[in-house]
Amino acid sequence: MPTTEKQVLNRLYFVTACVFLFAFTVVGKLVSIQLSEGDNYRRLAQEQTIRNFTIQPNRGNLYSDDGSLLATSATRFDIRFDALASNEKNFEKHLKPLSDSLSVMLGKPSSYYQNTFKKARSLKNRYLLLVRNLSYSEHMRLRSFPLFNLGGNSGGIIIEQRTVREHPLGRIAERSIGYERFDENGYVTRVGLEGAYGEYLRGETGQRLKQKIAKGQWKPISDSNEKEPKDGYDVVSTININIQDIAHHALLSQLEKYEADHGSVVVMEVGSGEVKAISNLGRTSKGTYYEKLNYAIGESHEPGSTFKLMSLIAAFEDKVIDTSYVVDTEKGVLTFYGKKVRDSKYGGYGKITASKAFELSSNTGVVKIIDNFYKDDPERFVNRLYNMGLNNKLGLSIKGEGKPYIPHPNDKKNWSGITLQWMAYGYNVSLTPLQTLTFYNAIANNGEMVKPRLIKEVRSFNKTVRRFDKEILNPSICSQETIGMVKQMLKNVVDKEHGTGHDLFSADFSMAGKTGTCQKNYASKDSDKLKYISSFVGYFPADNPKYSCIVVIHEPDKSKGYYGADVSGPVFKSIAQKIYTNSPLIDTIEELEKESETVIENYEAFYVKAQKKYKVVPNVSGMSGMDAVSLLENLGLRVKVSGNGKVTNQSLKPGEKIEPQKTIVLELI
């Protein structure tokens, strides 16, 4: 054999051997994969076509103190159709009656649905969207229609459920009610009561098996879930919807009148610390107001003259003065290291007692007292404030509580020659409105400082899972002797002949409190940038306090007014007057601590009605307005409400057939 031929054959043998070796390697690898990793690859393939999807549970309801709904979860259903699920015989037999039923329920002509279904079947559409956002009763009605009543496998109906959070009060107290949201990365944002008590409200998720079909869509494999979701517990808050409504509208009216930037109101029950109302409103670029931020809890700022109470209590407790101590206001101007302290009254008040200096809110009077007795030992003054707990957070469950700031002489970085004097009348210190209110509430409560409470209990239907009881932060912030003195001073502030709040005096009911007017941006040399914080904090009635309240309004229009007595004081009076008118304030604190039979009855009545499947309009007479709205809207009705309280009349009579999107008018008293 010639050499050239032999070389060609050798090369051919070599190539053939390489091919066989490669083939053998591939086969070996395939066998290896099949034996060692086959289960893993089969699992991955299955995951790409069959997957468990999470079903969110119904979040628990959030109730007011009388059992009315503040937030509730409503289940909504989206209905789709698998056009290839049913056989030809069933499809032809039920097409027209199904289309007729859908026409009656959804409003489009029967011919529209017939054509839609035929087109979907011809295009082999296995995920045709029919309708979104059906209520539970609507989706149950639709499931009973011809063809659909054969189920998912034979009838082609695909039911997808989800939950939405609804707030019967609308935008009122929206920020305080709050929310809990999870993003696609699992990051959670918690706001207000919903966020603070999410562990009780959120429940446990369920699982539903779905199969991947055309166009990346997923279809449930069966009508049942792999794991049923477990609904969350219900939470009963301390919020009173009537007081909340009063506080919200009183604040809103004053913000609009003075074109202020933002403001907040808190109403608290003196003995228990239960927060009955909390409203936070901020101005938009269009001049309207809504709940931007929870200013009452989160915004720490210089309190101004409302801090004078804390300063004088320190002096009373150290027994360096009493209410009769006389101080010279020195024509209304004091100077410390070139910085001036001025009274709002030109020329000052002359020589006046310590109690009068407080009642008239004399800056020079209070500052001079603190300077006289603490300039050589400022640590003594600050330690007294610390002993009263003013430097500590309240420890609220709601996220975002602002941090109080009370500088200490040992902190050389933040202490200067004028720090003590500026602290005396509410500058160089910082508190949130709720922290300030908690201190004043302690005065009303004879020295016992209670932690503000926004939740009464967690419930599972009619069983209490956890009760939140009164929590004492400080059993006695000062002596009873001091309490007696400052109570009279606070009462005199609102007396018609005494203090800065004399215009708020009412012969019909008594109040006690303190005005506050604090400058913002005072370091700026531009007078146009000088803004004010107007506040009023106190309690009512003056002699047997039941409620405490704080009103803080930021940056009112200076041309219209900015003093606490003019801007915030009227809000306080309006709230006190309306609460007093609606409730004569004759109940004792002990009675308020008892479990309310009304709350239990309202709660149980709503729960029982909400579980029923209605085909006709239910009788909601006697129900709380908020509960009736939630029940009827879940039935697909449009609800309009007139008045407040319980339902006395309904425009659609009980027993009438439910027609989706039909309007029902409720009259409440």
Side-chain angles (χ1 to χ4, degrees):
M1 182 180 292
T3 302
T4 303
E5 248 180 69
K6 189 175 181 180
Q7 290 176 341
V8 170
L9 284 174
N10 288 337
R11 289 175 182 172
L12 181 60
Y13 292 149
F14 178 75
V15 170
T16 302
C18 289
V19 170
F20 273 107
L21 182 62
F22 177 75
F24 180 78
T25 302
V26 170
V27 171
K29 187 64 176 177
L30 289 174
V31 171
S32 174
I33 290 173
Q34 183 69 16
L35 293 175
S36 63
E37 300 184 48
D39 291 341
N40 185 44
Y41 279 101
R42 278 189 290 272
R43 180 181 58 80
L44 291 174
Q46 187 179 41
E47 286 180 354
Q48 291 180 356
T49 56
I50 298 176
R51 186 186 301 170
N52 253 324
F53 282 77
T54 298
I55 303 174
Q56 294 299 327
N58 281 328
R59 195 172 175 86
N61 292 329
L62 181 62
Y63 289 92
S64 68
D65 66 348
D66 69 348
S68 299
L69 278 170
L70 296 176
T72 184
S73 287
T75 303
R76 292 289 181 260
F77 298 86
D78 297 340
I79 308 299
R80 294 180 181 269
F81 178 62
D82 181 352
L84 299 183
S86 62
N87 59 42
E88 189 68 28
K89 180 180 178 181
N90 281 336
F91 184 80
E92 292 296 334
K93 176 182 177 182
H94 296 299
L95 177 60
K96 187 175 187 308
L98 171 61
S99 299
D100 290 343
S101 298
L102 289 171
S103 177
V104 172
M105 180 177 180
L106 303 178
K108 292 182 179 180
S110 176
S111 59
Y112 167 82
Y113 293 105
Q114 292 181 55
N115 292 332
T116 299
F117 288 137
K118 288 178 180 179
K119 183 178 179 181
R121 194 169 177 89
S122 67
L123 295 175
K124 299 182 180 181
N125 189 339
R126 309 201 66 177
Y127 204 58
L128 173 69
L129 177 64
L130 290 179
V131 62
R132 293 185 186 274
N133 295 321
L134 292 185
S135 67
Y136 177 81
S137 60
E138 289 173 331
H139 115 274
M140 290 299 295
R141 176 185 170 190
L142 190 141
R143 289 181 67 162
S144 68
F145 289 172
L147 189 61
F148 286 172
N149 58 11
L150 301 179
N153 293 330
S154 299
I157 185 173
I158 301 171
I159 301 169
E160 297 178 333
Q161 72 181 63
R162 53 193 169 81
T163 57
V164 296
R165 202 65 171 163
E166 296 181 350
H167 299 91
L169 286 182
R171 305 301 298 263
I172 295 179
E174 184 177 33
R175 194 75 186 181
S176 300
I177 293 171
Y179 56 83
E180 182 179 54
R181 294 174 184 164
F182 294 83
D183 65 13
E184 64 276 6
N185 298 317
Y187 179 79
V188 61
T189 302
R190 294 186 174 96
V191 173
L193 296 175
E194 290 266 22
Y197 299 95
E199 62 178 305
Y200 300 108
L201 291 164
R202 74 175 71 103
E204 297 179 9
T205 59
Q207 298 288 330
R208 189 169 195 184
L209 208 58
K210 292 186 180 183
Q211 184 174 22
K212 193 173 185 179
I213 57 177
K215 298 180 181 180
Q217 298 171 329
W218 293 83
K219 171 190 172 183
I221 290 179
S222 66
D223 290 338
S224 60
N225 298 322
E226 303 302 303
K227 177 188 175 184
E228 292 298 328
K230 181 181 178 181
D231 291 346
Y233 293 123
D234 294 330
V235 172
V236 181
S237 77
T238 63
I239 298 296
N240 180 284
I241 57 172
N242 290 326
I243 297 178
Q244 180 69 45
D245 185 66
I246 289 169
H248 173 87
H249 287 97
L251 176 63
L252 177 60
S253 176
Q254 202 74 339
L255 289 173
E256 291 175 337
K257 178 180 178 181
Y258 285 90
E259 299 181 16
D261 182 73
H262 64 275
S264 59
V265 168
V266 184
V267 180
M268 188 158 65
E269 197 172 73
V270 169
S272 67
E274 291 187 1
V275 175
K276 292 302 175 184
I278 179 168
S279 184
N280 302 277
L281 297 173
R283 185 180 174 90
T284 69
S285 58
K286 297 180 180 179
T288 58
Y289 292 89
Y290 78 105
E291 294 224 351
K292 283 183 177 181
L293 298 169
N294 200 332
Y295 303 111
I297 289 175
E299 186 175 39
S300 187
H301 61 84
E302 291 176 313
S305 293
T306 57
F307 197 80
K308 290 172 182 173
L309 177 71
M310 294 74 158
S311 297
L312 289 183
I313 286 178
F316 290 153
E317 284 295 280
D318 286 335
K319 298 189 181 303
V320 295
I321 64 165
D322 59 19
T323 55
S324 63
Y325 175 83
V326 177
V327 58
D328 187 354
T329 62
E330 298 188 15
K331 298 183 179 180
V333 180
L334 297 176
T335 304
F336 300 93
Y337 295 95
K339 302 290 185 180
K340 295 186 181 299
V341 177
R342 299 178 185 274
D343 277 330
S344 59
K345 180 184 178 183
Y346 181 78
Y349 301 96
K351 294 182 179 180
I352 54 176
T353 63
S355 61
K356 197 67 176 178
F358 179 81
E359 293 157 17
L360 295 174
S361 200
S362 170
N363 296 332
T364 58
V366 174
V367 169
K368 192 169 184 180
I369 289 172
I370 300 304
D371 179 66
N372 283 347
F373 293 100
Y374 294 100
K375 62 184 176 183
D376 295 328
D377 189 8
E379 189 171 344
R380 182 186 183 193
F381 174 74
V382 176
N383 285 343
R384 178 65 70 179
L385 300 179
Y386 279 20
N387 289 339
M388 293 189 287
L390 288 169
N391 60 318
N392 299 324
K393 282 187 174 183
L394 299 172
L396 305 174
S397 297
I398 287 183
K399 304 296 181 183
E401 180 185 359
K403 186 178 180 179
Y405 174 66
I406 309 290
H408 197 279
N410 291 340
D411 181 7
K412 303 303 181 182
K413 182 179 178 180
N414 295 304
W415 191 269
S416 71
I418 61 171
T419 300
L420 174 68
Q421 293 76 15
W422 259 241
M423 287 176 64
Y425 71 124
Y427 290 90
N428 278 354
V429 295
S430 185
L431 296 170
T432 69
L434 188 54
Q435 289 161 359
T436 299
L437 176 62
T438 301
F439 187 89
Y440 273 74
N441 189 82
I443 300 301
N445 201 32
N446 294 319
E448 183 182 78
M449 182 183 285
V450 293
K451 183 177 180 178
R453 191 154 49 103
L454 290 108
I455 293 297
K456 295 169 76 74
E457 62 179 347
V458 176
R459 305 186 67 160
S460 177
F461 184 34
N462 60 345
K463 293 182 179 179
T464 298
V465 176
R466 181 181 175 185
R467 186 182 298 277
F468 293 82
D469 296 318
K470 173 181 173 180
E471 186 174 339
I472 299 174
L473 297 177
N474 190 335
S476 181
I477 63 169
C478 61
S479 67
Q480 290 302 305
E481 181 183 3
T482 296
I483 291 290
M485 289 190 289
V486 297
K487 271 191 171 183
Q488 186 60 50
M489 286 161 48
L490 289 166
K491 186 176 180 180
N492 288 345
V493 169
V494 192
D495 189 276
K496 63 180 179 180
E497 297 179 354
H498 287 82
T500 54
H502 64 272
D503 287 339
L504 305 176
F505 174 80
S506 173
D508 300 322
F509 64 96
S510 60
M511 300 176 289
K514 181 70 184 76
T515 59
T517 308
C518 179
Q519 292 183 351
K520 294 178 69 174
N521 305 322
Y522 48 81
S524 174
K525 295 181 180 180
D526 186 351
S527 60
D528 291 336
K529 292 184 178 180
L530 182 62
K531 306 291 184 181
Y532 291 89
I533 303 173
S534 166
S535 57
F536 191 97
V537 56
Y539 49 84
F540 57 94
D543 295 325
N544 186 24
K546 186 171 182 180
Y547 295 107
S548 60
C549 176
I550 187 168
V551 182
V552 181
I553 294 179
H554 285 251
E555 300 179 21
D557 186 334
K558 291 183 290 186
S559 66
K560 296 184 177 183
Y562 54 86
Y563 286 113
D566 301 326
V567 181
S568 295
V571 179
F572 181 96
K573 180 178 180 180
S574 175
I575 292 170
Q577 190 171 27
K578 289 178 180 178
I579 292 176
Y580 187 89
T581 301
N582 291 341
S583 174
L585 306 179
I586 58 174
D587 298 329
T588 65
I589 296 299
E590 288 72 26
E591 288 172 336
L592 290 172
E593 292 294 329
K594 294 180 181 177
E595 190 172 50
S596 169
E597 294 183 3
T598 303
V599 173
I600 298 173
E601 291 173 0
N602 287 348
Y603 182 93
E604 294 181 350
F606 173 74
Y607 184 88
V608 170
K609 290 195 174 189
Q611 304 311 303
K612 294 182 179 179
K613 302 173 184 178
Y614 292 97
K615 294 184 178 179
V616 297
V617 177
N619 183 2
V620 296
S621 179
M623 285 184 67
S624 161
M626 298 304 173
D627 293 345
V629 168
S630 177
L631 176 64
L632 295 171
E633 285 186 344
N634 278 336
L635 299 180
L637 296 169
R638 295 182 182 274
V639 184
K640 291 186 177 180
V641 177
S642 173
N644 289 298
K646 296 185 180 296
V647 179
T648 58
N649 190 34
Q650 58 188 91
S651 62
L652 298 182
K653 301 303 179 186
E656 286 188 28
K657 184 178 179 181
I658 294 176
E659 297 181 21
Q661 304 305 310
K662 190 169 184 179
T663 299
I664 181 172
V665 179
L666 304 180
E667 295 180 9
L668 311 180
I669 295 181

